[in-house]
Amino acid sequence: MGDQKKLYIKTYGCQMNVYDSERMAEAMGGSGYVETDSPDDADMILLNTCHIREKAAEKVYSELGRFKGLKAEKPDLKIGVAGCVAQAEGEEIMRRQPLVDLVVGPQAYHRLPEMEAKARAGEKALDTDFPEEDKFERLKSRPKAKRGPTAFLTVQEGCDKFCAFCVVPYTRGAEVSRPVDRILTEARDLVERGVREITLLGQNVNAYHGAGPDGDWSLAQLIWGLNEIDGLARIRFTTSHPNDMTDDLIAAHGECEKLMPYLHLPVQSGSDRILKRMNRSHDRDSYLRLIERIRAARPDILISGDFIVGFPEETDQDFEDTMALIEEVKYGQAFSFKYSTRPGTPAAERAQVDDVVATERLYRLQALITKQQREIKDSMVGRNVGVLFEKPGRLDGQLVGKSDHLHAVHVEARGAAVGEIAEVRIVESGPNSLRGEIVTD
Ligand code: SAH
Ligand code: SF4
Ligand code: F3S
């Protein structure tokens, strides 16, 4: 098609990177690019990377190596690295992998079209600034293309908490909230394009405090604002920090019908000693009391968490404290990781836990979480839940969607379509998903 060029984006890491990749694709649309899902026919390849653990960061270099042949065949192919590895390693990337043409940090995405032009002119382009201008404004989506029923919307970015293990405050910068009117406008636009469910994103989303019409709004106020949008049926948000779970946000879980009964609230460890060493600024007890209050507001809420095992100096007893906390909370979902040393973070300097010990702990923790997840999923059998259909299932006439509690649910469509929400009676709990029947009366 004429002089249309093709852009291949591969996204690693968290949901915010998914959102950023969409914005970058839209920005490059203005430079004549359309997205392709194969690197082989691309004119530009962009890796949107994650720096959170060593493995995630190293993957980028092996992936880049694989494009060597492609670049030899197609000298005009431009290769870019975006995201958190770009921010953290900058020029080092170009040194380690000379086939990279451009490196762009998460705060400079709006400058991508200019950078691409520079790369086309044969120069290397690097931008890892934290500029003054509002990248979200500059990245405003232009095309009114139809979208699927669910979307992410970044409302807050960056983090000021500096947990001792974490690179995010360095790669994403200081905590910044977007103004309320911009978010509401973007949300309305998404709904006009077919979106029914919006997940608000932020590294510390519940610390949101964006400028509103009458002073700063909290996340709860923003949720109530979104609640007014006709056609928007579901609101979610992620990721929250225990210290920013304000009373109005807890209350919203009990009162706002569009706010779904699911909360991702990472605790990382159940040991007070380790939490302190992690600089988490909450303790085991305050977390458990918080969970109690949230469940009092919304008894059926599904709690999800993140855990790090083998954090420096973690003893057997510290780990048992984490296991006991998990037993007490009962998680419907969780992400758990072996501690990974990140250069430049305070924990990197400390006595590391033996890898064999850490691996064993991770297995035990994951086995416990899997059991809890399964019990909670099984307990859905016999219940009626709302399901938003996201796509056709593998079998003929089948639809797959997500329940209010974010479980994947398969149903026989019986005339229902993608984008609709139906009341579904859960009849079976399989290994990965639930099966249900649309309630007709
Ligand atoms: N803002 C969120 C987490 C963002 S990072 C919060 O405060 O909880 C996502 C998850 O990656 C973290 O919750 C943590 O469990 C994990 N993580 C971060 N740094 C890590 C490291 N150095 N090693 C292992 N896991 C890590
Ligand atoms: Fe990282 Fe989350 Fe801690 Fe911020 S609060 S430093 S993003 S783990
Ligand atoms: Fe990874 Fe950056 Fe997200 S480090 S988890 S892509 S904020």
Side-chain angles (χ1 to χ4, degrees):
M1 270 219 291
D3 43 0
Q4 227 168 34
K5 289 172 281 181
K6 291 199 173 128
L7 172 66
Y8 171 75
I9 306 187
K10 185 160 182 177
T11 307
Y12 302 84
C14 62
Q15 288 115 321
M16 197 173 284
N17 265 9
V18 175
Y19 177 86
D20 288 343
S21 289
E22 287 170 5
R23 298 290 78 71
M24 288 193 284
E26 282 169 3
M28 293 310 290
S31 303
Y33 277 91
V34 289
E35 261 194 281
T36 170
D37 47 20
S38 152
D40 298 335
D41 57 23
D43 299 285
M44 178 167 167
I45 293 174
L46 204 52
L47 301 184
N48 194 8
T49 62
C50 173
H51 199 245
I52 202 82
R53 284 168 290 276
E54 193 180 353
K55 257 197 207 133
E58 277 306 311
K59 231 189 282 177
V60 176
Y61 291 100
S62 54
E63 186 73 27
L64 283 171
R66 260 182 258 156
F67 299 136
K68 224 176 210 152
L70 216 52
K71 182 111 175 175
E73 272 169 41
K74 258 176 129 175
D76 277 348
L77 170 68
K78 296 297 161 204
I79 296 180
V81 179
C84 291
V85 177
Q87 188 63 45
E89 300 186 9
E91 272 171 38
E92 171 72 17
I93 299 173
M94 292 196 181
R95 256 198 304 275
R96 260 182 84 171
Q97 187 43 274
L99 53 82
V100 173
D101 299 288
L102 68 90
V103 172
V104 58
Q107 303 309 331
Y109 290 156
H110 53 293
R111 297 175 176 169
L112 191 57
E114 299 149 39
M115 295 176 70
E116 186 267 351
K118 194 171 164 192
R120 288 256 154 246
E123 274 179 71
K124 299 260 178 191
L126 172 98
D127 195 337
T128 50
D129 284 354
F130 286 89
E132 284 292 315
E133 70 260 20
D134 182 349
K135 69 166 176 177
F136 294 104
E137 262 312 273
R138 299 272 307 274
L139 277 174
K140 240 194 273 175
S141 62
R142 290 150 246 262
K144 291 280 171 197
K146 194 106 184 89
R147 299 201 35 145
T150 63
F152 294 131
L153 201 175
T154 293
V155 302
Q156 175 279 331
E157 192 171 359
C159 181
D160 296 335
K161 297 236 172 1
F162 290 93
C163 298
F165 49 80
C166 184
V167 293
V168 170
Y170 312 97
T171 62
R172 293 278 169 172
E175 194 202 294
V176 175
S177 295
R178 295 179 64 196
V180 170
D181 61 341
R182 308 253 169 86
I183 295 168
L184 294 180
T185 304
E186 192 171 328
R188 279 190 215 103
D189 176 65
L190 288 168
V191 171
E192 272 169 32
R193 290 158 68 189
V195 169
R196 313 270 345 254
E197 172 182 303
I198 291 179
T199 302
L200 307 175
L201 298 181
Q203 269 89 31
N204 247 300
V205 72
N206 56 344
Y208 177 83
H209 53 92
D214 43 9
D216 277 7
W217 278 23
S218 66
L219 183 67
Q221 284 173 290
L222 183 66
I223 288 167
W224 283 110
L226 289 161
N227 192 54
E228 299 285 306
I229 299 177
D230 284 338
L232 179 63
R234 290 171 148 192
I235 303 166
R236 304 182 186 275
F237 60 90
T238 199
T239 294
S240 297
H241 191 284
N243 279 12
D244 296 311
M245 276 315 287
T246 49
D247 291 346
D248 60 348
L249 188 54
I250 296 174
H253 271 291
E255 292 161 5
C256 180
E257 227 170 280
K258 291 184 183 177
L259 184 57
M260 291 292 103
Y262 184 102
L263 179 65
H264 185 56
L265 197 63
V267 66
Q268 313 299 354
S269 168
S271 152
D272 277 342
R273 202 179 67 86
I274 293 296
L275 285 170
K276 216 177 219 134
R277 298 292 283 151
M278 285 178 163
N279 194 29
R280 283 292 290 182
S281 63
H282 59 79
D283 59 19
R284 171 198 181 86
D285 207 49
S286 61
Y287 181 82
L288 289 172
R289 273 184 287 127
L290 184 58
I291 297 281
E292 240 171 63
R293 286 174 53 218
I294 295 161
R295 284 195 167 134
R298 179 76 202 226
D300 72 334
I301 198 161
L302 190 145
I303 302 288
S304 151
D306 286 349
F307 298 90
I308 294 178
V309 303
F311 185 76
E313 302 159 14
E314 184 186 71
T315 63
D316 285 341
Q317 186 53 51
D318 292 322
F319 176 66
E320 294 308 329
D321 289 350
T322 301
M323 293 292 275
L325 177 135
I326 295 171
E327 289 280 9
E328 209 168 322
V329 173
K330 300 205 174 11
Y331 287 90
Q333 172 72 264
F335 303 94
S336 47
F337 315 95
K338 231 180 342 177
Y339 169 72
S340 170
T341 309
R342 306 314 291 126
T345 58
E349 312 294 323
R350 302 183 193 155
Q352 306 292 312
V353 169
D354 181 83
D355 190 56
V356 176
V357 173
T359 304
E360 202 184 307
R361 287 178 189 164
L362 185 65
Y363 283 148
R364 271 188 61 204
L365 184 146
Q366 287 182 338
L368 176 58
I369 297 276
T370 306
K371 181 171 146 272
Q372 293 189 340
Q373 245 171 312
R374 201 171 172 116
E375 281 166 5
I376 289 174
K377 194 156 63 68
D378 291 352
S379 75
M380 294 290 162
V381 176
R383 285 179 59 176
N384 287 4
V385 292
V387 176
L388 168 59
F389 301 122
E390 293 181 7
K391 56 183 183 199
R394 264 193 301 135
L395 303 178
D396 233 16
Q398 209 184 39
L399 286 174
V400 195
K402 293 275 165 54
S403 75
D404 301 338
H405 302 89
L406 213 55
H407 287 123
V409 183
H410 286 80
V411 300
E412 216 178 292
R414 295 180 201 274
V418 167
E420 287 176 12
I421 296 176
E423 192 182 353
V424 168
R425 186 172 173 76
I426 302 301
V427 295
E428 196 187 322
S429 170
N432 300 313
S433 65
L434 296 167
R435 195 169 62 78
E437 284 162 3
I438 296 175
V439 178
T440 44
D441 44 274

